[in-house]
Amino acid sequence: MPARVVTLQIDGRDVTARDDQMLIEVARESDIRIPKLCYVSGLSSYGGCRMCLVEVEGTSKLLAACTTAVTEGMQVRTVTPRLTEYRRMILEMLFAERNHVCSVCVSNGHCDMQWLAQHLGIDHIRFPYVYPNLPVDASHDRFVLDQNRCILCTRCVRVCQEIEGAHTWDVMGRGAQSLVITDLAQPWGESESCTSCGKCVQVCPTGALSEKGRSVAEMSKRREFLPYLTMMRGETGNE
Amino acid sequence: MLAEELKNIAVHEREAKAAVGACVNVCGAAGCQSLQSDALAKALVEAAAAQGYGPESCVVRKVGCLGLCGAGPLVSVEPAGIIYQRVQPSDAPDIVNALQGPPVKRINLDSKLPFFARQQRIVLENSGRIDPERLEDYIAADGYLALTTVLSEMTPSDVIAEIEKSGLRGRGGAGYPTGLKWGTVAKAIGSPKMVVCNADEGDPGAFMDRAVLESDPHRVLEGMAIAAYAVGASEGYIYVRAEYPLAVARLKTAIRLAERQELLGNGICGTQFNFRIAIRLGAGAFVCGEETALMASIEGKRGTPRPRPPYPAESGLWGHPTLINNVETFANIAPIIRRGGAWFAGIGTERSKGTKVFALAGRITNTGLIEVPMGITLRDIVFEIGGGVPEGRHLKAVQTGGPSGGCIPESFLDTPVDYETLTKLGSIMGSGGMIVMDETSSMVDVARYFMEFCMTESCGKCIPCRAGTAQMYNLLGRFVDRTATRADLAQLEQLCDLVRNTSLCGLGQSAPNPVSSTLRYFRPEYEATFATEGGE
Ligand SMILES: Cc1cc2nc3c(=O)[nH]c(=O)nc-3n(C[C@H](O)[C@H](O)[C@H](O)COP(=O)(O)O)c2cc1C
């Protein structure tokens, strides 16, 4: 079925969209930036971080803007006191979950999570820190994986599978014990499937994946390739 | 197999059974089997032979669950209607000896007990009465009659209309109307369509689905085949816990036997209808019972949920329209077709029809499996059927719905058991776990136990469930350790609200229920644990 064109309202603004588009994308086109961590334009939606939850008229459920397709006449609110409070709490729990110490992080100043925390006005964490003892894998020639900074957004997993086609990355374990792994939990440097393309590093929202030789605050990420590659492949990623 | 042949087998089987003098049934379901009911069956066979009984005068059969699991191993004698409890192999000679006289007193269990008399069996109608490994036994109990009726006399929309009329709702927990779900899959565009049976039963303390699969596996296959005909599916999967080896073995046997008789497979009952069923073993995680995670697992992927919509009915297994129902839901189908939707709708309450199987556990005299009409009160279940709380203790609360449910206090015991009422009380019907607690149970401990379960079973995909259950578990630990403050209590409630409203799937959305329901009814118990008076 060919996509239809629909009109809807986001934060009181009338916008038009194709009905196969996700809300987050449509909002972005109108320069309405819905907070997000796991979503990245050009990759399939995951729906894990819950940052992009929005309120939609007619349902009491909060809907993730990255996995909700627009419909005709939809009325969406992306910023409400309730949403802001939920986003803050979720983000605070994320900071407490692993060892996110910005001041000594390679991604300080270039981190999506840090940016979002500032944007939401978080100045302290109300939950006790868990301080897990997690490994760092520096076995790869050019890249480092620091599990302490990982927020399990699976951007690396998706870019590796969907764009590079290598599927080196995946997730193992369950709950808070989940870890991103290369191949079957082998050291990254020994991975046979990794092409060392570095796309995972570029899409990683935090300092979990970085290039070797970067010092504190030096790791800024380049993501321009993503929409370009997706366009060249002629897919939207959201099948 | 054709309807005529089916009837012949049924008649033949019933005659053969009537001709036998006595039938000694030994429970061969997992509970009694773990108490060596195999050795018991052997001893009974030997005792019968030793006392001169031949196959025409006494048969010893292994049957499915007899219900009162706490008093196993159980044996029943037909046609006398005698039930024996805690039977040891050494009791075998006496049991055989008593076939022609009064029952053996020391192990006799009164079959008129409310535990048996107050139950109403639809799903478990054959449980404990037929040998689950013999297809003929099931056929003699009108098995596959519904399937042949459906294939020869009803259109798919007739079938769906009948299920709708029955008012049957899903027994997997959420209580979604089954007829409506079938109608949606039937209308969905795409082929082939799939039918999936959810047998991943993961609630702690729940074993309803296991009992059905071990006691009467053909009933589930028949229900699935009828569903497949109704929605236009040709492929089926049963996703069953790997921790249920006996259920898996009996399902495999049942599928093989049904296929051999053309009750499954190609050209079922001589018609054009094809339906194959394959078994998939669960990946060992509670969350794999969630329908989208379950389907991912069948596809060979990591069992994590995905957002809905699209619902499985529209895009399920490998993108095909998929009907997914629970074991008990499918087990209700054949009787509904045989006896009519109106009959089924006559049982239960306004919005909850039929019966529900519960697994009774905890501080209760009769632990085991029961099937009761919807609308029965909790009090009747606990005190009549369950025999009350042992050791002269008092009932404090009844937990239903497992880690997604809540605790209902003594003061609400007279409320009828149906979907809406339990939800209103802050619990849920759930899949059928029912744990009775007396005054020695700490509600904070209970809440922490279930939170620990949710924390370790969270798949980790969404942050509120992954990190929120861990934070709540830690907070509850402070109440257990008596170091909590009023601020902790406030944060606990905030987290309940957050995790409920922002989690991706039902696991996280319902994980706060044990906490919020105990807070609702037993708040002073939390406050009593404050480190200082007033908790400041
Ligand atoms: C965490 C979680 C675990 C679940 N586990 C089961 C289960 O073990 N068995 C089951 O039948 N349904 C389970 N469900 C419900 C299923 O997602 C689904 O609703 C059900 O299989 C539908 O069947 P029904 O309509 O016949 O109830 C679970 C749901 C959640 C959120």
Side-chain angles (χ1 to χ4, degrees), chain B residues 32-43:
Chain B
C32 288
Q33 205 178 59
S34 68
L35 296 164
Q36 268 69 51
S37 68
D38 277 342
L40 172 61
K42 208 163 139 248

Side-chain angles (χ1 to χ4, degrees), chain B residues 170-174 176 181 198 200-202 209 286-287 289-291 324-326 329 505-507:
Chain B
R171 302 298 196 231
Y176 191 81
K181 200 187 261 187
N198 188 341
D200 196 46
E201 192 167 57
D209 296 346
F286 173 65
V287 75
E290 195 280 337
E291 56 192 26
I324 173 161
N325 275 131
N326 165 261
T329 313
C505 87
L507 197 161

